[in-house]
């Protein structure tokens, strides 16, 4: 590990317990920073309600006014995600309602990008909507450094990821794809425990300057681009405990890995891409059948260049 990264680990890695809520709230009152929480959601009726209810109950009260805005960005759910989220107290926005002149593309990064147009907070916090046993520390832990450390611009959550009953065996794409890519090509980022984690917060002033891969590559893309935009010392991570969520099957992980590799490749070469498709095999009564899937090849430009955004956030 680079000496620079060792110093960064000592300086920019914290625990959620390092910043009690009263300290975070005092900092928020002091400079008037506003906080938006965004949950990208696709068919998450089983979990989204409990997450929204916890945030409202513990972080959006008169006594603890940490979160100013809570938005669920629905990515085309066919279940009761929108109904459940609204009943729990979130403002629900459908992906297709945002920037309708641009047809929405499938993918998580697409809704994260569009969320910048329908939120107002100076700090934007993204939380995946499939978390179980959700703790408000996931929000306060990663928002805290942005309110108490003026030179921190981007904060990722770190946590244990069990796979069923197996401790520490989650995050398979992280260990097999993302961590090797980062260590080999962006060694300054080798200190991030969960580089692909979906829980992170950043200053709007940074997010609006970054391109957003529309699919699974969004977390790696934002992390790499944030490094090049604001430097390693402006990035941080906070330990929030344990993350329990719905796990994907092996084929879905393969497609995720391909999208992440493609995102890395684009940032390495900014040129010709490897064939943007992935063929996998599925056993059927007739034997193994190839199934070919497109790999996400689209990225949305920095939001600061979108006219509707510029008008909305004009000084």
């Amino acid at each position: 590990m680079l000496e620079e990264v060792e110093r960064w680990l000592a300086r920019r890695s914290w625990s959620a317990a390092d910043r009690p809520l009263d300290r975070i709230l005092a900092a928020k009152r002091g400079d008037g920073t506003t906080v938006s929480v965004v949950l990208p959601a696709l068919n998450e009726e089983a979990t989204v309600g409990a997450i929204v209810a916890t945030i409202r109950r513990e972080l959006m009260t008169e006594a603890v006014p940490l979160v100013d805005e809570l938005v669920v960005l629905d990515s085309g759910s066919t279940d009761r995600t929108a109904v459940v989220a609204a009943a729990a107290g979130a403002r629900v926005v459908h992906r297709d309602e945002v920037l309708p002149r641009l047809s929405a593309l499938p993918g998580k990064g697409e809704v994260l990008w569009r969320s910048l147009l329908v939120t107002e907070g100076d700090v934007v916090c993204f939380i995946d909507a499939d978390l179980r046993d959700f703790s408000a520390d996931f929000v306060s832990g990663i928002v805290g450094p942005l309110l108490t450390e003026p030179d921190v611009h981007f904060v990722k959550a770190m946590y244990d990821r069990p796979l069923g009953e197996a401790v520490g065996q989650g995050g398979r794409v992280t260990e097999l794809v993302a961590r090797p890519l980062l260590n080999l090509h962006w060694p300054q980022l080798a200190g991030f425990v969960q580089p692909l984690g979906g829980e992170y917060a950043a200053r709007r002033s940074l997010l609006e300057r970054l391109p957003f891969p529309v699919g699974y590559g969004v977390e790696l893309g934002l992390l790499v681009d944030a490094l090049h935009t604001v430097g390693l010392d402006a990035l941080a991570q906070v330990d929030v405990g344990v993350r329990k969520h719905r796990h994907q099957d092996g084929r879905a992980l393969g497609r995720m890995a391909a999208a992440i590799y493609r995102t890395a490749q684009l940032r390495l070469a900014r040129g010709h891409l490897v064939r943007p498709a992935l063929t996998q095999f599925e056993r059927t009564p007739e034997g193994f059948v190839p199934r070919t899937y497109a790999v996400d090849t689209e990225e949305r430009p920095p939001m600061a260049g979108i006219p509707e955004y510029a008008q909305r956030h004009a000084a």
Side-chain angles (χ1 to χ4, degrees), residues 8-243:
W8 176 84
L9 279 169
R11 175 175 164 79
R12 294 300 193 209
S13 291
W14 296 293
S15 165
D18 292 336
R19 288 176 179 79
L21 266 176
D22 57 354
R23 179 187 170 193
I24 298 172
L25 290 169
K28 185 176 190 291
R29 286 192 296 268
D31 63 13
T33 299
T34 54
V35 176
S36 297
V37 174
V38 173
L39 276 66
L42 177 62
N43 296 329
E44 303 295 356
E45 67 173 318
T47 50
V48 68
I51 298 172
V52 169
T54 298
I55 294 171
R56 288 199 61 87
R57 183 178 64 250
E58 299 188 26
L59 301 177
M60 298 182 73
T61 65
E62 184 176 348
V64 185
L66 179 63
V67 174
D68 301 284
E69 182 178 36
L70 176 56
V71 176
V72 170
L73 222 304
D74 188 356
S75 187
S77 297
T78 56
D79 66 359
R80 299 179 64 255
T81 290
V83 173
V84 170
R91 176 162 66 95
V92 179
V93 180
H94 193 282
R95 173 195 63 193
D96 295 343
E97 299 171 6
V98 186
L99 206 61
R101 69 176 177 84
L102 289 180
S103 297
L105 297 168
K108 177 184 178 183
E110 177 81 355
V111 297
L112 298 185
W113 182 72
R114 288 175 186 254
S115 76
L116 298 182
L117 260 170
V118 294
T119 54
E120 298 293 338
D122 304 309
V123 167
V124 182
C125 173
F126 298 123
I127 301 291
D128 280 350
D130 66 342
L131 302 187
R132 296 183 286 109
D133 301 333
F134 176 76
S135 165
D137 286 349
F138 274 73
V139 174
S140 58
I142 58 178
V143 166
L146 294 164
L147 298 177
T148 62
E149 309 288 336
D151 50 352
V152 170
H153 290 259
F154 187 99
V155 182
K156 295 216 68 155
M158 57 178 167
Y159 32 66
D160 294 321
R161 295 185 67 182
L163 180 61
E165 299 302 317
V167 177
Q169 294 303 306
R172 291 161 288 175
V173 176
T174 293
E175 299 303 329
L176 296 174
V177 180
R179 200 176 307 286
L181 282 172
L182 293 176
N183 276 262
L184 291 170
H185 299 295
W186 295 280
Q188 286 179 296
L189 298 175
F192 276 92
V193 175
Q194 297 292 352
L196 299 185
E199 292 69 44
Y200 47 102
R203 301 190 190 280
R204 176 178 296 274
S205 57
L206 171 61
L207 290 173
E208 67 186 12
R209 297 157 61 195
L210 302 180
F212 277 61
V214 301
Y216 286 126
V218 63
E219 272 82 31
L220 184 134
L222 290 178
L223 187 59
V224 169
D225 292 342
L227 171 69
H228 290 304
T229 303
V230 294
L232 180 61
D233 200 53
L235 314 182
Q237 60 184 349
V238 175
D239 187 348
V240 296
V242 179
R243 184 186 197 269

